[in-house]
Amino acid sequence: MTTEAVTDMIRDGLFIILETALPVLLISMAIGLLVSIFQTVTSIQEQTLTFVPKLVGIFVALMLFGNWMLNNMVTYATELWSSFSYYVHK
């Protein structure tokens, strides 16, 4: 296995991780920002007010993007295992 092959595998894996996690993280961040603005405007400092909307938002995001996320990861794993002989012989 060459250094270039290892570098390609790591780069592709990190890109898949970022690409797959990005929708859920962006939704969580947007909800957190909106709740934070709401708390600042109303002077309500309740901790559960930030937790529950984020939890609901993450569940909705997983329902919407879950199929795409799973297909993304399965495609990468399939490509990685289908080229396994290339990585062993090089």
Side-chain angles (χ1 to χ4, degrees):
M1 183 181 282
T2 64
T3 308
E4 292 84 19
V6 173
T7 306
D8 287 342
M9 282 177 19
I10 292 172
R11 185 190 65 234
D12 292 342
L14 289 174
F15 181 73
I16 292 296
I17 289 169
L18 289 174
E19 184 182 36
T20 303
L22 192 63
V24 176
L25 291 175
L26 285 177
I27 289 174
S28 176
M29 186 179 69
I31 291 172
L33 181 65
L34 290 173
V35 169
S36 204
I37 290 172
F38 175 75
Q39 283 182 326
T40 302
V41 170
T42 60
S43 297
I44 298 174
Q45 296 303 321
E46 180 64 32
Q47 294 295 339
T48 58
L49 187 61
T50 61
F51 180 73
V52 174
K54 278 187 187 180
L55 188 64
V56 170
I58 289 172
F59 282 147
V60 170
L62 288 175
M63 285 191 299
L64 293 175
F65 296 110
N67 188 30
W68 172 79
M69 293 167 73
L70 186 61
N71 284 335
N72 204 7
M73 291 184 288
V74 167
T75 301
Y76 174 69
T78 303
E79 289 174 5
L80 191 63
W81 281 104
S82 66
S83 60
F84 186 71
S85 62
Y86 169 75
Y87 296 124
V88 171
H89 293 301
K90 296 290 177 172

